[in-house]
Structures are given as structure tokens and as C-alpha cells.
Amino acid sequence: MLSPDQVVEAYYLEARHQLLEIAALLDRHDAAVDREGRGPGPAAATKLAVLRQAITTLGDDQAGKERTVTLLELFARV
Amino acid sequence: MQIIQPHYHAIARTAQDYERMAMSGVVAVAEPAFWAGFDRLYPETFIDYFRQISEFEPTRAAQYGIRHFCWVAVNPKEAENPTLTREVLRHFPEFFAKPTVLGVGETGLHKSTKNECESLEAHVELAMKHGQLVLIHTPHLADKAHGTKKVLEVLAGMKVDPERIWIDHVEEQTIRPCLDAGYWVGFTLYPITKCSPKRAVDMLEKYGTGKILVNSSADWGPSDPFTLQECILEFRRRGHSLQEAIDVFHNNPCRFLGQNPKFDIQPIRVETLVETSK
């Protein structure tokens, strides 16, 4: 089993990479909205809202220890 | 599609990579001098390394129909030994005379120390004096923004031709000042620690494709030469034409590297033949 320090050190770069991909996805979406002058349709808007809610959940220290379960339940809505 | 891999550390890779790259359309690679994973102590070690990448490696690549070019430099991580740097630099002109050496690289910064800045300046000065191209490494992760700014400051204090300088490993926070100053820039695609194929395509769409070189570096660390092909797939998947892809992934390297006449691969254009039956 890994210590708290080992967990962070072992997975920091991977998590950084994954967060940057999410940031880039949102930037890509905003650029598309600017380019086309309209937002996403209903189905895509729902998926985007779920992603934003997931990001909020991850940033919430009070969200509990079962973050993965919470997100899987969230993603099951779409 | 024909592809040029403009930043590739071939000596760290197997022949199987050459074979797979050839099968995927890679026609040429350019190998900058790199850090060996430890700090070298002797000028002769560098000289033999430069011989390896300028004499032997082209023969290995040729077995798969790939042209191999290279660059010479003392890596920024080894710049803390100024005596060694000076001694190695003294041998550069004999390598500039070799048929596949394109210029000086990758020089640049790692921790942006005084010795690193002086080494960068000495590399660039020598390259300019001998009419060589320059490939500049910028630091990674937390050091990137500061290090890139420092690179630009060092270059701004020198008499250089920005058209002949390629600042590599730029990301979203560093691309704009490099392009605004007139330099070529490079995206280096790594599985985790540098730019990703999707983010590279985002930047191509945002900043245009004019002076951008995309590469996957591929060294002895966690890296994958085929992140370049992954980027091409992502670029095409978003609806960009085959010609646009060729312009970025083949013709741009031809345009930058071709400033050195030794790099004689020409840009290509796709033509549709309209054939009529008689």
C-alpha cells in the first residue's frame, strides 16, 4: 500500500495531464461556440453540465471519500 | 501521407520504431543532441556522440528508407560545467561540415541558471557566425513559463535571425510571445508530461499553421514516436484536409529545415488526377 506522499508523487503528473485535457476540452468548446455563434444542442448541453458538475464535485473537500462512485452515478444520468 | 519527424532521439529507440515509422509514412527524422540521462564529463564523449548521430544513425535509418538529419549541442542540463561546454563548442565547426548536420540544438534552458544562459548565448552566437539553424529547448512543467521568457530575453539581446530559430516544447502559456517575436515554434507530444495531440491541434486551430513544427521527441524516457501520427489523426478527424495536414506535418519541417540546403526534401502538394476514358 502507498503512503499519502507516495500517492501524490506517483500520480501527480498523470492527474495534471488529465486535468489539462479537461481544460483544453472546455476551451475547445468555447472556441467552437465563438466560431459558430451558438451553444451546444440539448443532448450535448446536458453532457457538458454533467462534466461541470463532476469538476465541482472534485473540487469540494466536503464531497466525501467515494468520489469515484459519486461521479459514476452522475455520469449515469446521461 | 508523407510525414517528417523533426525532433526524434533515434539512438534511444529500436529499429522496430524506424520500421513502424516508415510503414506509417515517415520519410525523414531530425535528431537533436540530447542529455544522456547523466552529466557527461569529457569532451570526447560528446564528440563520439556527435559522430554516432551524424555518421552511424543515418545508415540505420536508411535501412528503412528514412532520411536522418541531426543537430549538435551541449545539453542545458550539462551547462553547469562551462569549461566542458567551451571545449565541446570548439569542435562544432567540424560537424557543421558534415552532410546531415543541420545546425545547433537542442541548446536552451533547464533551470535558467547563469551558466545555462551563458551556454545558450554561446551556442546561438556560434550558430549565427556559421550560418546554422538553431533549435532551442524550453524547460518543462513548473519551469516552463519562466524559462521561455528567459530564452526570449537572451535572444532579444543578440543579433539573430528569428526565421532561423525554432523554440521547442511551447505550450498554451508560452506560444504567443515566441510567435510574436518571429520565431518558429514546436509542439512536443508526450504521453503525459508535455503537450498532448489534442491540445496541439487546438493550438494549430487557434494560432494558425504558419510557423509551427509538431514532433514527438521520443527519447529514452516515457515517450512514443507515434503521438505524432495520433496528432495527425486528430487533425484530420476534425475535418482538416489532407493538404492542410501535409502542410503542417511535412511541408513546415521542409520550410524550416530546408533553410539549410542539406535538407533537400521539398514541400509537396496533393493533386487529384481527372482521368477520362477514351
Side-chain angles (χ1 to χ4, degrees):
Chain A
M1 304 282 274
L2 300 176
S3 71
D5 280 353
Q6 286 172 323
V7 170
V8 174
E9 296 299 339
Y11 302 111
Y12 172 77
L13 285 176
E14 190 178 335
R16 175 188 184 274
H17 166 77
Q18 290 161 342
L19 287 168
L20 284 171
E21 290 300 305
I22 294 167
L25 182 158
L26 296 175
D27 288 347
R28 195 176 306 138
H29 166 266
D30 291 350
V33 170
D34 289 346
R35 196 169 54 246
E36 298 197 4
R38 64 172 183 84
T46 302
K47 287 178 179 160
L48 186 63
V50 164
L51 287 175
R52 289 189 191 284
Q53 195 175 337
I55 294 164
T56 303
T57 300
L58 293 180
D60 181 3
D61 281 345
Q62 308 302 315
K65 292 182 178 177
E66 297 290 340
R67 296 175 186 82
T68 311
V69 172
T70 304
L71 260 59
L72 283 169
E73 289 171 353
L74 181 61
F75 292 140
R77 295 182 201 166
V78 294
Chain B
M1 178 182 145
Q2 293 192 19
I3 303 163
I4 293 171
Q5 171 67 274
H7 184 148
Y8 183 71
H9 297 292
I11 71 159
R13 315 296 302 192
T14 65
Q16 189 188 30
D17 274 356
Y18 272 134
E19 184 180 37
R20 291 163 66 221
M21 285 198 299
M23 288 192 291
S24 74
V26 172
V27 295
V29 302
E31 177 158 15
F34 191 47
W35 188 54
F38 68 100
D39 293 346
R40 287 160 282 202
L41 297 178
Y42 313 105
E44 292 82 0
T45 316
F46 283 87
I47 306 308
D48 272 345
Y49 171 47
F50 298 159
R51 285 182 52 234
Q52 182 179 12
I53 60 177
S54 63
E55 295 173 13
F56 172 67
E57 203 56 39
T59 66
R60 206 163 72 102
Q63 293 177 43
Y64 301 93
I66 293 176
R67 302 277 303 278
H68 180 283
F69 298 88
C70 73
W71 309 70
V72 291
V74 177
N75 196 269
K77 289 185 179 180
E78 292 164 310
E80 294 308 321
N81 186 342
T83 308
L84 177 70
T85 301
R86 275 193 298 275
E87 183 58 27
V88 178
L89 280 168
R90 205 168 59 78
H91 289 272
F92 278 21
E94 60 199 74
F95 287 95
F96 294 157
K98 290 187 180 289
T100 57
V101 176
L102 298 176
V104 171
E106 49 188 308
T107 180
L109 299 179
H110 174 53
K111 291 291 182 187
S112 304
T113 64
K114 181 172 174 289
N115 282 336
E116 288 181 23
C117 290
E118 287 175 1
S119 174
L120 168 63
E121 198 169 338
H123 276 77
V124 174
E125 197 172 279
L126 188 65
M128 292 296 129
K129 182 180 168 190
H130 288 268
Q132 299 295 310
L133 299 173
V134 182
L135 164 52
I136 296 180
H137 164 98
T138 53
H140 303 308
L141 304 170
D143 298 312
K144 181 168 292 294
H146 171 70
T148 306
K149 184 168 175 279
K150 195 72 191 167
V151 163
L152 291 172
E153 285 171 7
V154 169
L155 293 175
M158 302 181 70
K159 189 177 179 188
V160 298
D161 178 0
E163 286 288 336
R164 297 176 68 82
I165 295 179
W166 155 17
I167 299 179
D168 207 10
H169 319 318
V170 302
E171 291 184 311
E172 289 85 344
Q173 82 277 38
T174 58
I175 180 173
R176 190 184 293 278
C178 298
L179 284 176
D180 286 349
Y183 300 106
W184 281 76
V185 300
F187 304 152
T188 301
L189 312 173
Y190 263 40
I192 299 288
T193 51
K194 296 193 180 92
C195 189
S196 73
K198 292 186 184 72
R199 287 168 52 207
V201 177
D202 291 338
M203 286 191 281
L204 286 166
E205 291 178 338
K206 183 171 181 178
Y207 293 97
T209 57
K211 294 173 83 172
I212 292 175
L213 302 162
V214 187
N215 64 84
S216 57
S217 181
D219 50 45
W220 42 259
S223 54
D224 176 4
F226 290 89
T227 50
L228 183 60
Q229 283 78 347
E230 193 181 335
C231 189
I232 295 169
L233 176 62
E234 176 70 16
F235 188 75
R236 294 281 281 134
R237 202 170 66 134
R238 293 194 197 180
H240 300 289
S241 70
L242 177 60
Q243 183 61 56
E244 288 170 322
I246 290 170
D247 276 333
V248 174
F249 299 97
H250 180 278
N251 293 349
N252 274 0
C254 290
R255 290 173 185 127
F256 178 78
L257 301 174
Q259 293 181 89
N260 185 324
K262 293 177 201 168
F263 191 93
D264 56 1
I265 302 172
Q266 300 300 321
I268 52 180
R269 182 166 58 85
V270 176
E271 187 177 3
T272 302
L273 301 178
V274 180
E275 296 184 339
T276 54
S277 55
K278 294 182 180 175

